[in-house]
Amino acid sequence: MRLFVDTANVKEIYEAAELGVVTGVTTNPSLAAKEGISDPDAYKKTVQEIAKVISGPISVEVVSTEAKDMIEEGLKIADWIDNVWVKIPSTLAGFEAIHKLSDQGINTNQTLCFSTNQAILGAQAGSTVVSPFVGRLDDIAQDGMAMVGEIVEIYRKFPTIKTQVMAASIRHPFHCHQAALMGADISTVPFGIIKKMAEHPLTDKGMELFLNDWYGSK
Ligand code: G3P
């Protein structure tokens, strides 16, 4: 499973890139707004900054709601950088946009996916990747990770489906562990959670012991 970092914070992305553990980035309008980005020009500038250090896919979301407008916006976004995945919501208009953008060779990320049926529709429409939102389903007492497992199982059962599965709305390190076990191709993870994935008290204690023994013996 590949790890992407889920943020529009360029500093965090540069730090994550230095670690060598992430191969892509996902953004959305909320993450952009959190960084003070509220217009297409600023979004474009930030995405182009990100592309200087991340050569893998960078997801950028449309804010249009009608198919025609999503397609127009998606085509503009696709011009910003080479490695963009245009994020399109899981609505009927969104499926039409995914279909028409993918027909023009544009990579798409089917976002806001909350059901296996939505993932089936996105794959038919030709999405490059689907983003099942695990944490937000957990929030309403549904099993987000079970949805990831079902989507992976169905996509693998039908080899003509080329759509990848990216676990999204990841809230804690155990979500990453579970997504990998479910066979997700990618998990997109906030940087704080990536850092937590590295933590283990026995690693800290072990280092302390090794260093005490080493320096204590001098
Ligand atoms: O990748 C989608 C993600 O950013 C949504 O996460 O925590 O807002 O549900 P969250």
Side-chain angles (χ1 to χ4, degrees), residues 6 26 28 31 87 111 131 133 135-136 168-171 188:
D6 191 30
T26 53
N28 64 39
L31 292 171
K87 269 179 119 171
T111 191
S131 294
F133 272 37
R136 290 192 198 183
S169 185
I170 294 290
R171 299 286 172 73
T188 186

Side-chain angles (χ1 to χ4, degrees), residues 5-7 26-28 30-31 59 61 87 109 111-112 114 131-137 139 166-171 188-190 193:
V5 61
D6 191 30
T7 181
T26 53
T27 67
N28 64 39
S30 302
L31 292 171
S59 287
E61 188 153 347
K87 269 179 119 171
N109 173 347
T111 191
L112 290 170
F114 293 100
S131 294
F133 272 37
V134 175
R136 290 192 198 183
L137 267 189
D139 287 345
M166 173 157 62
S169 185
I170 294 290
R171 299 286 172 73
T188 186
V189 186
I193 295 175

Side-chain angles (χ1 to χ4, degrees), residues 188-204:
T188 186
V189 186
F191 189 46
I193 295 175
I194 292 178
K195 288 196 275 192
K196 281 196 180 140
M197 287 169 74
E199 290 173 8
H200 199 286
L202 290 181
T203 304
D204 298 339

